[in-house]
Amino acid sequence: ADGDYPERIVVSNAVTLLGANLYFAGNPPFARGVSRTVIRPPDGAPDSAVIMVNTNGVVVRGLTIDGDFDTNGLPDAKYGVYSTNRPLVVDHCSITNMAGYGILNLGMVPPPAPDDTASVRGYFGYNTIVGITHTNAGAATGIFLDQAPATCELNDIGWITGATARAGIYLHSCYYTSNMTPSLRVDSNSFDNCLVGIWANRFGDDGERIRIIGNAVDNGLIGVRVTAAHGQAIIVSNRISVSGVSPSGLTRARALWVQADYDPWGVTNPASATDHQVIGNRLAGRSTSADGTAGMRFEYGTTTYPGHNDGVRATVVSNFIHDFDYGIYIESGANDAAFLHDPMVEIAIHTNNIYSNWTYGVFATGVTQKVDARNNWWGSYSGATTNPLTPPAVSTNVNAVPWALGRYMTDTDGDGLSDDSDPDDDGDGLTDLDEVNVYYTAPDNPDTDGDGASDGDEVIAGTDPLNPAS
């Protein structure tokens, strides 16, 4: 029922904890949940959990979980919901003021097994998780899943930033089996002021696939990060706006960062071949100088994860990448690789709009052959140029042939539709779609006098199409 409950809850049976919170799906992010059932710790215990789940099959739904027992603005608990069991469901909850993790699910019970079915998949959706800190640097996380495959969707996660932050959603070793469908999913979440939006680190152990689709990341440093992958990432239709530099000063903003996969070409196991699919994303930076930021960064690395440093492979198509220092930055090498391949970083880049980036649209270093970046649009009708103060849009080891059609895919009016899908055929300042659906006027018939009636309609009505008073 409604109320403010000072208690810690320990769950030892497969029950549903059902609160009275309200959820309004039509509201903007971070305004969808209304708190009515508030659970908070009864005292200060910095390493405690507000809700401790000690069994499988528990559902936590419709609660506000607040780690601040004395309402002084400082967290007095480490975990909002903590469990080592799977599956776990947490949905339609508001979680705030934690000195560690909003949700931490270490899925060790039962131990992952080859015959796992969908019955051990978790679900985390429609939650609002804000204000997470940690006593350790690089640890604070909104939703942390380890060995706990799940769907994470429609969560609002914000204000997980600074030196203590890890990510809004962090996935580690969440492998699943052929009996467990669908794939690991991170879809349609909103992130605001998170140091990293989504970090999939060794997200699968045996060639599993992850879906990262339709997420929105604002005011962060890293939008989506994929490291040490054993399987393919499907990164589609995300909208990411990032800028700045990390608290350590070592990392510049990167909307998408992919590094050090296990075996991208499937040398030892064809199922672990990656070829990440990066399609239809809109990536925006705020660079006004050569500040080292990148819309996408693909890199081989020798220290990212022990034994997971064998290159990166991806196909990059139909993305919008603009206002970074580098649109796409590719870094390759061959040191300490278990499975040598030529090239160690293999990225195919086609039919993208890569424009208004400061130094290079596509830059590559350490590659042994030219990067295939044919048929992209570089922000100029006359050729591959970016900022007028800089060299050509690509480095010399990148093969770039301009794609003329790309120039029609910009979103000049910022309405979320590319210009080719919402033209203004009659030049009256209203897009064709708005004329038909909003103003009910003819999209190919101008309104010369600006009185809200198209010229054709005025002629039929017998009024003067050149007189706004008529």
Side-chain angles (χ1 to χ4, degrees), residues 35-36 55 58 85 92 113-114 119 125 132 212 221 246 311 348 375 388 450 467:
S35 302
R36 295 173 61 195
T55 191
V58 170
N85 295 74
H92 296 85
S119 64
I132 309 298
I212 302 174
L221 184 77
S246 65
N375 296 325
N467 183 356

Side-chain angles (χ1 to χ4, degrees), residues 86-229:
R86 60 190 185 124
L88 173 68
V89 173
V90 182
D91 63 46
H92 296 85
C93 289
S94 296
I95 304 175
T96 188
N97 291 321
M98 300 298 161
Y101 309 91
I103 299 169
L104 178 60
N105 190 191
L106 307 177
M108 299 179 288
V109 183
D115 58 351
D116 278 349
T117 67
S119 64
V120 295
R121 281 179 57 90
Y123 180 83
F124 305 90
Y126 300 87
N127 300 292
T128 299
I129 304 175
V130 297
I132 309 298
T133 59
H134 203 291
T135 55
N136 299 326
T141 307
I143 300 175
F144 186 124
L145 304 181
D146 188 307
Q147 303 182 77
T151 293
C152 298
E153 64 180 7
L154 295 159
N155 298 286
D156 297 337
I157 302 178
W159 294 272
I160 303 174
T161 189
T164 71
R166 178 186 276 119
I169 295 178
Y170 180 81
L171 309 168
H172 182 263
S173 296
C174 295
Y175 66 87
Y176 57 93
T177 73
S178 59
N179 304 315
M180 190 182 296
T181 56
S183 61
L184 189 64
R185 290 174 46 190
V186 183
D187 295 352
S188 303
N189 302 280
S190 294
F191 302 87
D192 193 4
N193 278 287
C194 295
L195 187 73
V196 180
I198 302 163
W199 187 355
N201 183 18
R202 194 178 174 183
F203 59 83
D205 275 4
D206 195 28
E208 298 81 15
R209 176 180 293 179
I210 187 172
R211 272 182 35 167
I212 302 174
I213 297 179
N215 299 280
V217 181
D218 294 296
N219 304 310
L221 184 77
I222 309 297
V224 174
R225 184 178 182 185
V226 176
T227 51

